[in-house]
Amino acid sequence: MNKSTNKQVFLGEIVTKFVAAENPRDVQIRSSRDASNLLREIIGNDMQVRQQLVAIYLNNANKVMAVETITTGTSKQVLMDGMRIAKEAIITGASGVIVAHNHPSGNERPSESDKRETKSLKAALDYLEISFLDNIILTEDTYYSFADNGERSLA
């Protein structure tokens, strides 16, 4: 995996922080494991401290265009900001999006809130004709992929 760097981009009145691989065009996501490995690099030492919601924006070949930390929450919850995720997908010209957040508790199973927010984000991205590929929940040792677990109606 490439070393990550931080960069700020000014887009009119919008300032956003992207965390992307040094050469993101070299990173291709072929599986939930590929995505979870990249996401672990981004979340880093916060894995057991507080929840972070991260989005990966992909092109048609599932190559990473950008990775962004959307929100940072508490040890028990994080806000899934669907509008911001959709906006950044449009700005980057992404064809697909993977989102993920960590559970410091070590329980990788999705909560009812995780399921509701995933369904809502999927509907928003479907409307924009952007593929919502997966929602991944990370713990220090494991991960849960909505797509891998047959929750296709949600991811």
Side-chain angles (χ1 to χ4, degrees), residues 43-113:
I43 294 173
N45 294 333
D46 276 352
M47 188 65 70
Q48 291 185 308
V49 179
R50 62 184 159 260
Q51 292 189 22
Q52 288 190 46
L53 177 70
V54 178
I56 302 174
Y57 303 97
L58 304 162
N59 68 13
N60 282 334
N62 286 343
K63 289 192 177 182
V64 176
M65 299 174 71
V67 179
E68 180 187 20
T69 299
I70 302 296
T71 55
T72 300
T74 68
S75 63
K76 296 180 182 179
Q77 65 182 5
V78 68
L79 172 69
M80 185 179 291
D81 188 345
M83 186 172 290
R84 181 168 173 190
I85 293 166
K87 175 190 74 177
E88 298 303 339
I90 292 167
I91 290 170
T92 61
S95 297
V97 175
I98 297 172
V99 297
H101 70 281
N102 58 306
H103 280 180
S105 67
N107 179 2
E108 78 273 6
R109 301 302 296 181
S111 67
E112 288 306 312
S113 175

Side-chain angles (χ1 to χ4, degrees), residues 2-150:
N2 292 334
K3 182 180 170 192
S4 298
T5 58
N6 293 331
K7 138 173 103 164
Q8 285 215 345
V9 179
F10 180 73
L11 303 167
E13 293 182 4
I14 302 168
V15 176
T16 187
K17 178 182 174 188
F18 286 98
V19 180
E22 281 183 27
N23 189 355
R25 301 281 181 206
D26 290 341
V27 178
Q28 186 173 26
I29 304 297
R30 293 183 178 95
S31 67
S32 60
R33 181 164 309 282
D34 290 346
S36 71
N37 289 337
L38 176 60
L39 293 158
R40 283 181 195 289
E41 284 184 31
I42 304 304
I43 294 173
N45 294 333
D46 276 352
M47 188 65 70
Q48 291 185 308
V49 179
R50 62 184 159 260
Q51 292 189 22
Q52 288 190 46
L53 177 70
V54 178
I56 302 174
Y57 303 97
L58 304 162
N59 68 13
N60 282 334
N62 286 343
K63 289 192 177 182
V64 176
M65 299 174 71
V67 179
E68 180 187 20
T69 299
I70 302 296
T71 55
T72 300
T74 68
S75 63
K76 296 180 182 179
Q77 65 182 5
V78 68
L79 172 69
M80 185 179 291
D81 188 345
M83 186 172 290
R84 181 168 173 190
I85 293 166
K87 175 190 74 177
E88 298 303 339
I90 292 167
I91 290 170
T92 61
S95 297
V97 175
I98 297 172
V99 297
H101 70 281
N102 58 306
H103 280 180
S105 67
N107 179 2
E108 78 273 6
R109 301 302 296 181
S111 67
E112 288 306 312
S113 175
D114 291 335
K115 291 177 182 180
R116 273 191 316 275
E117 291 176 349
T118 299
K119 189 173 183 176
S120 176
L121 178 59
K122 181 183 181 344
L125 292 174
D126 282 350
Y127 181 78
L128 297 169
E129 298 181 0
I130 298 169
S131 297
F132 183 50
L133 302 171
D134 205 353
N135 183 0
I136 298 173
I137 299 172
L138 298 163
T139 67
E140 187 174 38
D141 300 319
T142 62
Y143 70 92
Y144 180 93
S145 160
F146 278 70
D148 289 355
N149 283 283

